[in-house]
Amino acid sequence: MASNRKYYTFIVEHLDPELEEWQALEYKAIAQESKDAGSIFLLSGLHSAKDVERQLSLPAANLTEASVESLYRDSARQRVCLLDPKAEKDLSPDDGELFDVFLFGGILGDDPPRDRTGELRKLGFEGRRLGSEQMTTDTAARVARIVVLDNKRLEGIPYVDRPDIEFSSAADPEPEANPTESVSMPFRYVKGDDGKPVMPTGMIELLASDADKGILDLL
Ligand code: SAM
């Protein structure tokens, strides 16, 4: 039986030592989209919630230095679903009945994946997979929301896999003098109404400004 609930808590446990610019854009996108869906967003495990409050301009209520391990103990942990690329079961709309909280790893998307989600798995959270392709954290949150709030099955969601993102590489006033560069993103994205991968506001500009670094240094 599909869920009739109208809100959940979406938690990203920040597992990296720093908070990079690309990550800030992803977290802001998850915060905004959770709010728009009437759900709660929490970024946990921060080194300094005050610093991140300044960097992200998010309300303090969305940020905590507490770890998800300390926030959900004993029986409360059973209501938390870890989105885990190595889980045996895929997330389905019925999971909206089983869980109140959806938990994501705030970590580097690496290719091939290094399984850092395992740091959360070992804490004993029940896991669900979002299919076999690696997603960015904001995409994983977007897809989980579509499944549990819109009651859509994973296979009914349109995706773009491993897109090449194109942008002008030079700020020449003559457009024809601007060569187009492209960068390959080794992830699965939700396909937007315009047919393009849905990405956080500002991500394309960030990719363009960092094109010379190579995508895996950036992500
Ligand atoms: N390479 C990472 C690893 O080593 O685990 C995956 C990082 S992914 C960029 C960030 C988070 O998005 C994961 O911790 C997980 O919560 C979620 N995620 C991404 N793709 C997923 C998938 N196919 N199934 C379930 N969760 C996924």
Side-chain angles (χ1 to χ4, degrees):
M1 191 46 205
S3 162
N4 288 319
R5 275 190 62 133
K6 289 294 172 227
Y7 71 89
Y8 296 92
T9 300
F10 293 88
I11 301 189
V12 176
E13 174 94 343
H14 183 64
L15 293 168
D16 281 339
E18 306 290 332
L19 201 158
E20 306 290 347
E21 217 176 323
W22 63 268
Q23 235 167 357
L25 295 179
E26 291 193 353
Y27 293 168
K28 283 172 88 149
I30 302 170
Q32 187 61 50
E33 291 173 24
S34 303
K35 188 175 167 204
D36 292 346
S39 287
I40 294 164
F41 170 67
L42 191 64
L43 184 55
S44 61
L46 295 169
H47 304 294
S48 163
K50 273 268 164 263
D51 285 355
V52 174
E53 191 181 336
R54 271 191 297 274
Q55 192 179 345
L56 265 60
S57 323
L58 284 178
N62 290 151
L63 310 168
T64 181
E65 287 164 19
S67 67
V68 75
E69 181 179 17
S70 65
L71 291 171
Y72 294 91
R73 292 182 187 278
D74 309 321
S75 62
R77 206 164 283 193
Q78 291 164 13
R79 302 291 297 176
V80 180
C81 172
L82 170 65
L83 283 303
D84 180 358
K86 287 198 181 289
E88 284 177 8
K89 278 169 108 175
D90 276 347
L91 186 72
S92 83
D94 290 346
D95 289 318
E97 293 287 344
L98 283 181
F99 303 109
D100 302 319
V101 179
F102 293 91
L103 169 65
F104 306 83
I107 35 181
L108 192 84
D110 38 16
D111 189 32
R114 279 186 297 152
D115 188 30
R116 290 192 50 213
T117 310
E119 293 177 39
L120 296 170
R121 185 185 314 125
K122 71 179 185 213
L123 302 175
F125 296 107
E126 172 114 18
R128 290 288 186 273
R129 205 180 65 145
L130 297 166
S132 57
E133 289 284 327
Q134 182 178 198
M135 299 173 179
T136 59
T137 309
D138 63 300
T139 303
R142 193 167 295 121
V143 168
R145 240 190 2 258
I146 294 172
V147 173
V148 295
L149 280 169
D150 302 345
N151 291 330
K152 269 202 177 179
R153 304 199 72 80
L154 283 176
E155 54 277 17
I157 300 173
Y159 301 110
V160 184
D161 287 340
R162 300 178 167 256
D164 289 330
I165 307 295
E166 293 196 343
F167 43 80
S168 268
S169 59
D172 196 299
E174 297 298 321
E176 57 277 12
N178 288 344
T180 302
E181 281 198 30
S182 83
V183 63
S184 242
M185 305 295 284
F187 306 107
R188 165 169 284 182
Y189 294 87
V190 172
K191 189 190 275 187
D193 292 339
D194 58 2
K196 294 183 179 161
V198 177
M199 288 188 173
T201 305
M203 188 60 88
I204 304 272
E205 292 77 2
L206 182 62
L207 291 174
S209 70
D210 279 312
D212 53 327
K213 282 191 195 161
I215 193 64
L216 291 178
D217 294 335
L218 183 67
L219 293 179

